[in-house]
């Protein structure tokens, strides 16, 4: 998958679990889990919300690579 994410690392820095992150950004724990595993690519809106909660740029959490 060409979208690489560092969500788990940033979430750990915040000291919150998947359910808490989901609540902060308006989605479920399952969606956060799927994003972290690389099974789901978030919408632009969700990616921006996640980056905002992590207090970083969206490019710091999500990287796009050419396959």
């Amino acid at each position: 998958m060409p979208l690489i994410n560092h969500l788990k690392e940033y979430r750990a820095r915040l000291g919150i679990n998947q359910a808490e992150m989901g609540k902060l950004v308006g989605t479920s724990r399952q969606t956060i889990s799927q994003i972290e595993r690389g099974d789901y690519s978030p919408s632009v809106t969700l990616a921006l919300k996640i980056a905002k909660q992590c207090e970083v740029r969206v490019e710091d959490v999500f990287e796009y690579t050419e396959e």
Side-chain angles (χ1 to χ4, degrees), residues 53-66:
Q53 285 300 319
C54 296
E55 298 181 347
V56 295
R57 299 174 309 146
V58 72
E59 296 92 340
D60 295 330
V61 182
F62 300 98
E63 295 178 47
Y64 178 78
T65 59
E66 298 287 333

PDB file of all heavy atoms in Angstrom, residues 53-66:
ATOM      1  N   GLN A  53      -4.933  16.617  16.148  1.00  0.00           N
ATOM      2  CA  GLN A  53      -4.884  16.077  17.510  1.00  0.00           C
ATOM      3  C   GLN A  53      -3.450  15.757  17.935  1.00  0.00           C
ATOM      4  O   GLN A  53      -3.100  15.885  19.099  1.00  0.00           O
ATOM      5  CB  GLN A  53      -5.750  14.819  17.626  1.00  0.00           C
ATOM      6  CG  GLN A  53      -7.218  15.088  17.652  1.00  0.00           C
ATOM      7  CD  GLN A  53      -7.640  15.961  18.818  1.00  0.00           C
ATOM      8  OE1 GLN A  53      -7.171  15.812  19.943  1.00  0.00           O
ATOM      9  NE2 GLN A  53      -8.520  16.907  18.544  1.00  0.00           N
ATOM     10  N   CYS A  54      -2.621  15.343  16.977  1.00  0.00           N
ATOM     11  CA  CYS A  54      -1.220  15.023  17.260  1.00  0.00           C
ATOM     12  C   CYS A  54      -0.349  16.273  17.282  1.00  0.00           C
ATOM     13  O   CYS A  54       0.834  16.196  17.617  1.00  0.00           O
ATOM     14  CB  CYS A  54      -0.685  14.037  16.220  1.00  0.00           C
ATOM     15  SG  CYS A  54      -1.497  12.426  16.248  1.00  0.00           S
ATOM     16  N   GLU A  55      -0.933  17.414  16.886  1.00  0.00           N
ATOM     17  CA  GLU A  55      -0.244  18.697  16.830  1.00  0.00           C
ATOM     18  C   GLU A  55       0.964  18.666  15.895  1.00  0.00           C
ATOM     19  O   GLU A  55       2.041  19.173  16.205  1.00  0.00           O
ATOM     20  CB  GLU A  55       0.161  19.171  18.231  1.00  0.00           C
ATOM     21  CG  GLU A  55      -1.032  19.397  19.132  1.00  0.00           C
ATOM     22  CD  GLU A  55      -0.668  19.899  20.514  1.00  0.00           C
ATOM     23  OE1 GLU A  55       0.528  19.854  20.896  1.00  0.00           O
ATOM     24  OE2 GLU A  55      -1.588  20.323  21.223  1.00  0.00           O
ATOM     25  N   VAL A  56       0.760  18.015  14.732  1.00  0.00           N
ATOM     26  CA  VAL A  56       1.784  17.943  13.692  1.00  0.00           C
ATOM     27  C   VAL A  56       1.120  18.141  12.334  1.00  0.00           C
ATOM     28  O   VAL A  56      -0.103  18.182  12.226  1.00  0.00           O
ATOM     29  CB  VAL A  56       2.538  16.586  13.713  1.00  0.00           C
ATOM     30  CG1 VAL A  56       3.327  16.419  15.002  1.00  0.00           C
ATOM     31  CG2 VAL A  56       1.588  15.419  13.521  1.00  0.00           C
ATOM     32  N   ARG A  57       1.934  18.228  11.299  1.00  0.00           N
ATOM     33  CA  ARG A  57       1.410  18.330   9.939  1.00  0.00           C
ATOM     34  C   ARG A  57       0.900  16.956   9.498  1.00  0.00           C
ATOM     35  O   ARG A  57       1.394  15.928   9.954  1.00  0.00           O
ATOM     36  CB  ARG A  57       2.502  18.775   8.964  1.00  0.00           C
ATOM     37  CG  ARG A  57       3.098  20.110   9.260  1.00  0.00           C
ATOM     38  CD  ARG A  57       4.264  20.441   8.347  1.00  0.00           C
ATOM     39  NE  ARG A  57       5.215  19.329   8.352  1.00  0.00           N
ATOM     40  CZ  ARG A  57       5.942  18.954   7.301  1.00  0.00           C
ATOM     41  NH1 ARG A  57       5.864  19.587   6.162  1.00  0.00           N
ATOM     42  NH2 ARG A  57       6.775  17.936   7.393  1.00  0.00           N
ATOM     43  N   VAL A  58      -0.056  16.950   8.610  1.00  0.00           N
ATOM     44  CA  VAL A  58      -0.605  15.693   8.114  1.00  0.00           C
ATOM     45  C   VAL A  58       0.503  14.844   7.462  1.00  0.00           C
ATOM     46  O   VAL A  58       0.501  13.624   7.558  1.00  0.00           O
ATOM     47  CB  VAL A  58      -1.812  15.928   7.175  1.00  0.00           C
ATOM     48  CG1 VAL A  58      -1.374  16.504   5.840  1.00  0.00           C
ATOM     49  CG2 VAL A  58      -2.621  14.664   6.982  1.00  0.00           C
ATOM     50  N   GLU A  59       1.488  15.512   6.839  1.00  0.00           N
ATOM     51  CA  GLU A  59       2.593  14.803   6.202  1.00  0.00           C
ATOM     52  C   GLU A  59       3.491  14.094   7.216  1.00  0.00           C
ATOM     53  O   GLU A  59       4.227  13.179   6.864  1.00  0.00           O
ATOM     54  CB  GLU A  59       3.464  15.762   5.371  1.00  0.00           C
ATOM     55  CG  GLU A  59       2.736  16.385   4.218  1.00  0.00           C
ATOM     56  CD  GLU A  59       2.084  17.721   4.564  1.00  0.00           C
ATOM     57  OE1 GLU A  59       1.853  18.014   5.762  1.00  0.00           O
ATOM     58  OE2 GLU A  59       1.790  18.473   3.640  1.00  0.00           O
ATOM     59  N   ASP A  60       3.452  14.529   8.480  1.00  0.00           N
ATOM     60  CA  ASP A  60       4.235  13.855   9.514  1.00  0.00           C
ATOM     61  C   ASP A  60       3.597  12.530   9.920  1.00  0.00           C
ATOM     62  O   ASP A  60       4.296  11.590  10.293  1.00  0.00           O
ATOM     63  CB  ASP A  60       4.378  14.748  10.749  1.00  0.00           C
ATOM     64  CG  ASP A  60       5.173  16.009  10.471  1.00  0.00           C
ATOM     65  OD1 ASP A  60       6.057  15.982   9.591  1.00  0.00           O
ATOM     66  OD2 ASP A  60       4.903  17.025  11.131  1.00  0.00           O
ATOM     67  N   VAL A  61       2.285  12.471   9.851  1.00  0.00           N
ATOM     68  CA  VAL A  61       1.567  11.250  10.239  1.00  0.00           C
ATOM     69  C   VAL A  61       1.412  10.299   9.060  1.00  0.00           C
ATOM     70  O   VAL A  61       1.560   9.086   9.207  1.00  0.00           O
ATOM     71  CB  VAL A  61       0.174  11.579  10.829  1.00  0.00           C
ATOM     72  CG1 VAL A  61      -0.539  10.301  11.274  1.00  0.00           C
ATOM     73  CG2 VAL A  61       0.276  12.562  11.977  1.00  0.00           C
ATOM     74  N   PHE A  62       1.139  10.849   7.881  1.00  0.00           N
ATOM     75  CA  PHE A  62       0.885  10.032   6.695  1.00  0.00           C
ATOM     76  C   PHE A  62       1.865  10.371   5.583  1.00  0.00           C
ATOM     77  O   PHE A  62       2.067  11.543   5.274  1.00  0.00           O
ATOM     78  CB  PHE A  62      -0.545  10.254   6.185  1.00  0.00           C
ATOM     79  CG  PHE A  62      -1.587   9.886   7.200  1.00  0.00           C
ATOM     80  CD1 PHE A  62      -2.177  10.867   7.988  1.00  0.00           C
ATOM     81  CD2 PHE A  62      -1.979   8.579   7.376  1.00  0.00           C
ATOM     82  CE1 PHE A  62      -3.129  10.539   8.928  1.00  0.00           C
ATOM     83  CE2 PHE A  62      -2.931   8.232   8.320  1.00  0.00           C
ATOM     84  CZ  PHE A  62      -3.508   9.216   9.100  1.00  0.00           C
ATOM     85  N   GLU A  63       2.458   9.340   4.988  1.00  0.00           N
ATOM     86  CA  GLU A  63       3.389   9.523   3.874  1.00  0.00           C
ATOM     87  C   GLU A  63       2.850   8.754   2.672  1.00  0.00           C
ATOM     88  O   GLU A  63       2.397   7.622   2.817  1.00  0.00           O
ATOM     89  CB  GLU A  63       4.762   8.943   4.189  1.00  0.00           C
ATOM     90  CG  GLU A  63       5.514   9.609   5.295  1.00  0.00           C
ATOM     91  CD  GLU A  63       6.837   8.904   5.529  1.00  0.00           C
ATOM     92  OE1 GLU A  63       7.550   8.617   4.558  1.00  0.00           O
ATOM     93  OE2 GLU A  63       7.126   8.622   6.702  1.00  0.00           O
ATOM     94  N   TYR A  64       2.938   9.359   1.511  1.00  0.00           N
ATOM     95  CA  TYR A  64       2.553   8.686   0.289  1.00  0.00           C
ATOM     96  C   TYR A  64       3.808   8.292  -0.461  1.00  0.00           C
ATOM     97  O   TYR A  64       4.695   9.114  -0.651  1.00  0.00           O
ATOM     98  CB  TYR A  64       1.674   9.575  -0.580  1.00  0.00           C
ATOM     99  CG  TYR A  64       1.292   8.917  -1.889  1.00  0.00           C
ATOM    100  CD1 TYR A  64       0.287   7.949  -1.917  1.00  0.00           C
ATOM    101  CD2 TYR A  64       1.959   9.200  -3.068  1.00  0.00           C
ATOM    102  CE1 TYR A  64      -0.050   7.318  -3.095  1.00  0.00           C
ATOM    103  CE2 TYR A  64       1.618   8.578  -4.253  1.00  0.00           C
ATOM    104  CZ  TYR A  64       0.619   7.643  -4.262  1.00  0.00           C
ATOM    105  OH  TYR A  64       0.294   7.008  -5.421  1.00  0.00           O
ATOM    106  N   THR A  65       3.889   7.034  -0.845  1.00  0.00           N
ATOM    107  CA  THR A  65       5.036   6.572  -1.629  1.00  0.00           C
ATOM    108  C   THR A  65       4.538   5.947  -2.924  1.00  0.00           C
ATOM    109  O   THR A  65       3.466   5.332  -2.967  1.00  0.00           O
ATOM    110  CB  THR A  65       5.855   5.519  -0.863  1.00  0.00           C
ATOM    111  OG1 THR A  65       5.018   4.410  -0.550  1.00  0.00           O
ATOM    112  CG2 THR A  65       6.425   6.093   0.421  1.00  0.00           C
ATOM    113  N   GLU A  66       5.297   6.119  -3.964  1.00  0.00           N
ATOM    114  CA  GLU A  66       4.979   5.495  -5.261  1.00  0.00           C
ATOM    115  C   GLU A  66       5.380   4.031  -5.192  1.00  0.00           C
ATOM    116  O   GLU A  66       6.438   3.703  -4.701  1.00  0.00           O
ATOM    117  CB  GLU A  66       5.730   6.193  -6.394  1.00  0.00           C
ATOM    118  CG  GLU A  66       5.373   7.642  -6.577  1.00  0.00           C
ATOM    119  CD  GLU A  66       3.989   7.841  -7.197  1.00  0.00           C
ATOM    120  OE1 GLU A  66       3.517   6.969  -7.930  1.00  0.00           O
ATOM    121  OE2 GLU A  66       3.390   8.881  -6.899  1.00  0.00           O
TER     122      GLU A  66
END
